Amino acid sequence: MMREKKFREAFGLSIYRPALEGLSAQEFEDLRPDFERVAMAITEKIPEKMDFTGEQISGDIATVFVKVLDADGKEKAEPATLIKINNVWIVGDKENLALVQKEGKKFFFEARIHAHHNDVQDMLTRISLAQVFYSQGHQGKFGNTAELIAVGAIPKDIEGTESTGYRFQVVRTADAKTWYATAEPVQYGRTGRLSFYLDASGVRSG
């Protein structure tokens, strides 16, 4: 179902069903890019025809072992947990089900924000290292966004907002001897909850 982008049906077979039930049509569409990335990751990792190597069942908890592809494209067996709810087996575990039930329809948005915050921190670290790399080849002078992209020090998609939900800006002074970078969420409360500022002294958020 994830391969066919039938997201409601797919998540309905898992512990994430309570997170979908309260979503409006617009909220679901807002989350669609995130669902599509999950589907792509599944497509890359799990063969279209799945093989199972075994199962263990204890009451209303079960573990099945699924053959997946590792980073080198080799097959390996990974465990997948299922729980029985109202006499129906669904994918997931009780601990995470409780978390999803507590968050309700906010769950996917909160997960998105948490992931975006981590992505922003990683990107800012990359920008800081990029400035060190750039200055070594430019007589100690630093680069702006376009120049760092041009030498391959940071990815071009930093100019967009789709992958991180944030707008990045790298600013340098006229003499190119100092610089700073900012990251602002496209939608406060939906794509991020913090603003970030980076300079040579490190990252600050608020």
Side-chain angles (χ1 to χ4, degrees):
M1 287 182 180
M2 290 297 285
R3 286 177 185 276
E4 296 171 3
K5 298 186 178 181
K6 296 178 179 178
F7 301 127
R8 286 191 182 277
E9 294 89 337
F11 285 122
L13 298 175
S14 75
I15 60 172
Y16 300 110
R17 182 172 183 172
L20 284 178
E21 289 176 339
L23 292 176
S24 68
Q26 183 58 56
E27 288 170 330
F28 185 86
E29 289 306 311
D30 287 345
L31 289 165
R32 184 177 292 277
D34 300 295
F35 298 157
E36 289 181 347
R37 279 192 285 273
V38 172
M40 186 179 297
I42 289 173
T43 300
E44 291 174 352
K45 187 174 183 180
I46 301 177
E48 189 166 358
K49 184 179 183 303
M50 290 189 292
D51 290 323
F52 300 90
T53 61
E55 64 181 32
Q56 297 173 352
I57 302 175
S58 177
D60 59 357
I61 299 174
T63 302
V64 297
F65 297 89
V66 188
K67 285 186 180 179
V68 299
L69 301 178
D70 63 17
D72 298 321
K74 296 179 181 178
E75 280 192 349
K76 66 174 183 177
E78 280 195 358
T81 302
L82 293 91
I83 55 176
K84 188 185 286 187
I85 304 291
N86 297 326
N87 214 34
V88 176
W89 289 102
I90 62 172
V91 179
D93 57 63
K94 289 185 176 181
E95 181 178 343
N96 284 303
L97 173 61
L99 177 62
V100 175
Q101 289 173 329
K102 180 180 177 181
E103 295 286 344
K105 75 171 193 174
K106 296 189 298 181
F107 175 82
F108 286 118
F109 289 108
E110 290 297 317
R112 169 200 274 178
I113 288 171
H114 181 71
H116 283 178
H117 286 173
N118 288 337
D119 291 343
V120 170
Q121 296 265 20
D122 291 343
M123 184 63 75
L124 291 175
T125 298
R126 188 166 179 176
I127 290 171
S128 184
L129 294 173
Q131 290 289 26
V132 173
F133 167 78
Y134 187 90
S135 66
Q136 289 173 346
H138 293 81
Q139 287 124 9
K141 294 184 176 182
F142 297 107
N144 57 27
T145 305
E147 290 165 336
L148 295 178
I149 291 173
V151 298
I154 57 176
K156 185 169 177 57
D157 66 4
I158 196 174
E159 294 178 311
T161 61
E162 185 174 339
S163 60
T164 63
Y166 269 73
R167 292 189 180 93
F168 288 88
Q169 187 177 23
V170 182
V171 180
R172 62 163 188 205
T173 55
D175 61 8
K177 291 183 179 179
T178 58
W179 63 275
Y180 68 89
T182 60
E184 301 282 340
V186 177
Q187 283 184 285
Y188 279 95
R190 282 297 176 93
T191 65
R193 199 169 282 118
L194 297 173
S195 296
F196 295 85
Y197 178 90
L198 167 72
D199 59 19
S201 65
V203 179
R204 295 184 288 283
S205 62

